[in-house]
Amino acid sequence: MLTGAGISAESGVPTFRGKEGLWGKFRAEELATMEAFLRNPEIVWEWYSWRRKLISEVQPNPGHFALAELADYFDSFTLVTQNVDGLHRVAGSTDILELHGNINRNKCVKCEAPFDEVDIDPARIPKCKGCGGSIRPDVVWFGEMLPGEVIEAAFRRSEEADLFFSIGTSAIVHPAASLPMTARRCGATLVEINPEETPLSNLADIRIGAPSGEFLPKLLDAVKARKNQSGQG
Ligand code: OAD
């Protein structure tokens, strides 16, 4: 299972691409790169503080909750997400691989030591207690490597999967976008849930052109009904 910004859209978290997407209004290279942070850390922190506040005010939607419950009906169920909003965990999912980090965590820009205080004043960016480096959000910026263990585990689980859902992602940012095709090449049935077509759409075995917050609860109901039937039989 791979999720992207679209799964949180119905919670009110803006996606990155598309008509209302963040990258239509803001320039990624000025906000989500190491170069931007070194050039103007205050602006980068203002942007992340704004997104943190926005995310702190929203709730998981029925799509997040359905995924958390669906996990109980499978022997093995891995949730790989590109999202940094943490909403899957709030909804109760447990086995989560966060490919792009988590917006509620901070780390040192130099030694990567975690920094626990959550509230950062962009005008007074704190320094690492160990090495004196500036504190940055613990998310993956453009041009940066994904956390090694996390992406390795994501590929391994994709290779082992019988069924792979790609949900609410434009499927263009790699390496995350390679996971669905890796799963399919290794024999998984690939299901895409996205109201818009993506580069994956023609390759998916099943395409659901609906919002995930509408479709996933129906899928959960169907899986539950099936389980009850087989339990009775
Ligand atoms: P995008 O913004 O690229 O794509 C969001 C996808 O969600 C689009 O394909 C929409 O059609 C779809 N969508 C919108 N509403 C939906 C809904 N209710 N249900 C299901 N799908 C819906 O977001 P990502 O693919 O997650 O990376 O973007 C990947 C990465 O690019 C992000 O993690 C971020 C971004 O730049 C970094 O910041 C490193």
Side-chain angles (χ1 to χ4, degrees):
M1 178 101 30
L2 172 69
T3 65
I7 185 106
S8 297
E10 288 154 273
S11 292
V13 183
T15 60
F16 293 95
R17 297 171 186 81
K19 267 201 312 265
E20 299 295 319
L22 291 171
W23 295 151
K25 297 180 189 138
F26 302 99
R27 292 166 64 83
E29 58 273 28
E30 285 170 12
L31 298 169
T33 63
M34 180 61 99
E35 292 72 26
F37 187 75
L38 296 176
R39 210 169 36 233
N40 199 338
E42 200 172 321
I43 287 202
V44 172
W45 262 119
E46 273 173 17
W47 195 64
Y48 278 96
S49 301
W50 169 73
R51 284 181 59 204
R52 264 186 192 175
K53 181 164 183 298
L54 190 154
I55 286 165
S56 73
E57 289 167 353
V58 303
Q59 299 298 325
N61 66 60
H64 294 106
F65 287 116
L67 284 184
E69 224 184 303
L70 264 174
D72 296 340
Y73 293 87
F74 292 85
D75 293 336
S76 160
F77 187 100
T78 304
L79 184 45
V80 183
T81 188
Q82 299 165 88
N83 298 348
V84 296
D85 58 31
L87 289 177
H88 284 304
R89 190 163 290 116
V90 179
S93 284
T94 46
D95 192 0
I96 310 170
L97 296 173
E98 289 180 321
L99 293 180
H100 293 164
N102 189 304
I103 199 167
N104 289 314
R105 286 195 313 250
N106 303 312
K107 65 178 181 182
C108 170
V109 77
K110 275 206 225 152
C111 72
E112 303 206 329
F115 184 83
D116 285 342
E117 260 167 62
V118 179
D119 288 331
I120 305 289
D121 176 355
R124 295 162 58 95
I125 299 166
K127 300 286 183 200
C128 173
K129 294 184 179 88
C131 78
S134 296
I135 297 303
R136 58 165 281 182
D138 190 0
V139 297
V140 175
W141 284 330
F142 287 99
E144 292 187 320
M145 304 282 282
L146 274 60
E149 275 174 29
V150 180
I151 187 68
E152 276 166 30
F155 272 104
R156 209 170 44 244
R157 309 267 183 101
S158 302
E159 286 163 10
E160 292 163 1
D162 298 320
L163 182 59
F164 191 104
F165 283 76
S166 176
I167 306 173
T169 174
S170 54
I172 55 174
V173 176
H174 288 271
S178 307
L179 296 170
M181 283 322 295
T182 299
R184 190 164 190 282
R185 207 180 48 246
C186 293
T189 298
L190 177 59
V191 183
E192 176 175 68
I193 304 174
N194 194 321
E196 308 287 334
E197 297 221 336
T198 76
L200 269 190
S201 302
N202 285 333
L203 308 163
D205 297 291
I206 301 170
R207 206 191 111 67
I208 312 289
S212 45
E214 288 176 20
F215 177 75
L216 288 170
K218 291 184 194 157
L219 177 68
L220 174 64
D221 287 345
V223 168
K224 278 181 177 171
R226 181 83 181 246
K227 180 88 177 172
N228 286 341
Q229 267 175 7
S230 60
Q232 283 158 10

